[in-house]
């Protein structure tokens, strides 16, 4: 009996010790987009690096794209399980702030560098890239040299684009067309429609169709060719330089005011602009870093298209007009 009691006491002590250790492990829940958390994206390396700093566990929740991130937050409201939201962009931050879900980060981000500059008390930028039409040089010998040439070009040379209702690249193209065409954007979309092979929910689906040869062009980023040059040792896929300029995407992270551990969330917010995080971004997310790197960029990044002009609408203007501009797009593209 004594031996049994001692065994039971030892088992109970071990159980309590294990339970205490489990209770002490902190978890940071990060809502982001699916390509970020894929095995080839930055998510796994970011989690590994941050977990070494924080003695915590990073839990990712992935959705298709950045616009869907905002939609999910609106749906969940204050019941959201997110501590960090990573993957919105500057086009969406006004709407995101309007949810009342985000807390000020309280960080000094004066050292970050993006074209045109960026400063915000709620959102911290972690990378940027200019939208571009990526084309297959084996199929297209003379790519469009302007948005006008894309809109009015040969309808037999198709492009895959993303849906502005669910995708930040799709929204970026919408704003790019609006920036160049203004009140004539609807007419421009009506012309471009004949060149559109299909509209996908997000970037991953669109780029996958492109690399499978389903279409010779896709909406992506000026940085996309770097992936093929670095990872595949090919310069087959290139970005078309548009004479009017290119619309920029600045991706941001924000922390939720109901975060389970606000100190841990703030620690992650600071981490996204640290050299260790920034060094992961270029060759996993294939975007430009906003901060100092531990190592220099691969030579391929020096061969990329450098836009002569950068377009970026104020987030407040996007928030005020996004629905109307999407309705204009839907009407022109004859979609439901």
């Amino acid at each position: 009996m004594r031996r049994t009691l001692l065994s039971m006491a030892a088992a109970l002590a071990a159980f309590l010790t294990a339970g205490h250790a489990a209770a002490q492990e902190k978890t940071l829940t990060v809502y982001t987009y699916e390509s970020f958390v894929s095995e080839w994206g930055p998510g796994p390396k970011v989690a590994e690096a941050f977990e070494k700093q924080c003695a915590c566990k990073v839990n990712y929740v992935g959705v298709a794209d950045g616009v869907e991130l905002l939609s999910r937050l609106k749906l969940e409201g204050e019941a959201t399980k997110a501590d960090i939201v990573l993957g919105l962009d500057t086009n969406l931050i006004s709407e995101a702030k309007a949810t009342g879900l985000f807390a000020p980060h309280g960080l000094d981000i004066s050292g970050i560098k993006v074209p045109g500059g960026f400063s915000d008390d709620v959102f911290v930028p972690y990378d940027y890239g200019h939208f571009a039409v990526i084309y297959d040089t084996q199929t297209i010998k003379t790519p469009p040299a302007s948005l006008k040439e894309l809109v009015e070009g040969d309808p037999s040379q198709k492009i895959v684009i993303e849906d502005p209702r669910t995708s930040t690249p799709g929204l970026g193209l919408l704003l790019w067309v609006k920036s160049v065409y203004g009140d004539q954007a609807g007419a421009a979309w009506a012309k471009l429609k004949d060149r559109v092979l299909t509209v996908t929910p997000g970037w991953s689906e669109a780029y996958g169709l492109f690399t499978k040869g389903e279409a010779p062009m896709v909406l992506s980023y000026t940085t996309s060719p770097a992936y093929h040059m670095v990872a595949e040792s090919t310069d087959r896929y290139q970005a078309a330089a548009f004479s009017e300029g290119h619309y920029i995407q600045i991706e941001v992270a924000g922390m939720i005011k109901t975060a389970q551990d606000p100190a841990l969330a703030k620690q992650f917010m600071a981490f996204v602009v640290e050299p260790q995080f920034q060094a992961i971004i270029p060759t996993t997310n294939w975007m430009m870093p906003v901060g100092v790197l531990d190592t220099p960029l691969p030579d391929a990044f020096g061969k990329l298209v450098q836009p002569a002009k950068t377009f970026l609408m104020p987030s407040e203007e996007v928030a005020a007009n996004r629905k109307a501009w999407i309705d204009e797009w839907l009407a022109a593209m004859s979609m439901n």
Side-chain angles (χ1 to χ4, degrees):
M1 177 64 74
R2 174 180 166 81
R3 186 174 299 171
T4 302
L5 290 173
L6 287 173
S7 298
M8 290 176 62
L12 179 60
F15 175 79
L16 292 174
T17 300
H20 179 71
Q24 293 300 304
E25 184 178 53
K26 298 178 290 186
T27 299
L28 183 76
T29 299
V30 179
Y31 281 21
T32 186
Y33 46 82
E34 289 175 350
S35 62
F36 191 93
V37 301
S38 67
E39 61 180 353
W40 47 264
K45 290 183 177 180
V46 166
E48 181 182 4
F50 186 65
E51 286 172 354
K52 289 178 181 178
Q53 289 188 13
C54 68
C56 70
K57 177 69 176 176
V58 175
N59 173 43
Y60 288 118
V61 176
V63 300
D65 215 316
V67 175
E68 191 169 321
L69 270 178
L70 181 57
S71 297
R72 177 162 180 163
L73 286 172
K74 288 180 176 179
L75 182 64
E76 292 181 347
E78 294 188 359
T80 184
K81 301 298 183 183
D83 298 312
I84 295 288
V85 176
L86 184 150
L88 300 177
D89 65 15
T90 49
N91 295 317
L92 299 173
I93 61 176
S94 182
E95 284 188 63
K97 287 180 180 179
T99 66
L101 296 176
F102 289 88
H105 54 68
L107 302 170
D108 179 7
I109 58 171
S110 59
I112 61 104
K113 296 180 180 180
V114 295
F118 178 82
S119 179
D120 192 79
D121 63 349
V122 173
F123 292 99
V124 172
Y126 64 90
D127 67 18
Y128 72 89
H130 288 83
F131 294 113
V133 170
I134 304 299
Y135 67 98
D136 184 346
T137 61
Q138 293 185 5
T139 305
I140 295 181
K141 301 305 179 184
T142 306
S146 66
L147 197 58
K148 185 175 186 296
E149 286 188 16
L150 176 70
V151 168
E152 299 178 1
D154 182 357
S156 69
Q157 293 183 332
K158 299 296 185 182
I159 184 171
V160 180
I161 65 172
E162 299 87 350
D163 194 322
R165 295 169 295 181
T166 54
S167 162
T168 51
L171 179 60
L173 180 59
L174 185 83
L175 301 178
W176 192 2
V177 170
K178 180 60 70 172
S179 296
V180 172
Y181 281 93
D183 293 342
Q184 300 304 309
W189 281 115
K191 288 183 180 178
L192 182 60
K193 177 181 66 174
D194 291 338
R195 298 197 78 171
V196 175
L197 176 69
T198 190
V199 179
T200 63
W203 175 88
S204 296
E205 300 95 329
Y207 211 79
L209 289 173
F210 168 69
T211 54
K212 288 176 183 175
E214 296 295 326
M217 295 184 290
V218 65
L219 175 70
S220 191
Y221 300 88
T222 56
T223 48
S224 297
Y227 164 77
H228 301 286
M229 287 187 274
V230 173
E232 300 177 343
S233 300
T234 179
D235 57 4
R236 174 178 175 177
Y237 304 110
Q238 294 295 321
F242 281 8
S243 58
E244 302 100 337
H246 293 246
Y247 200 96
I248 193 173
Q249 178 178 50
I250 304 169
E251 295 191 297
V252 298
M255 62 180 187
I256 298 297
K257 67 181 182 181
T258 55
Q260 185 176 3
D261 187 333
L264 180 61
K266 187 171 181 178
Q267 184 181 351
F268 185 85
M269 292 289 286
F271 177 65
V272 301
V273 292
E274 290 178 1
Q276 193 174 10
F277 180 102
Q278 289 292 297
I280 293 170
I281 290 296
T283 55
T284 55
N285 220 31
W286 302 100
M287 296 282 273
M288 296 300 294
V290 300
V292 177
L293 300 180
D294 284 329
T295 55
L297 286 169
D299 292 342
F301 281 80
K303 303 175 183 178
L304 302 175
V305 165
Q306 303 296 321
K309 180 179 179 179
T310 292
F311 293 107
L312 180 63
M313 289 187 184
S315 183
E316 295 79 9
E317 183 178 356
V318 177
N321 294 284
R322 183 159 73 103
K323 183 181 184 302
W325 291 344
I326 287 176
D327 287 345
E328 177 182 60
W329 176 80
L330 286 168
M333 299 289 284
S334 299
M335 298 171 62
N336 296 318

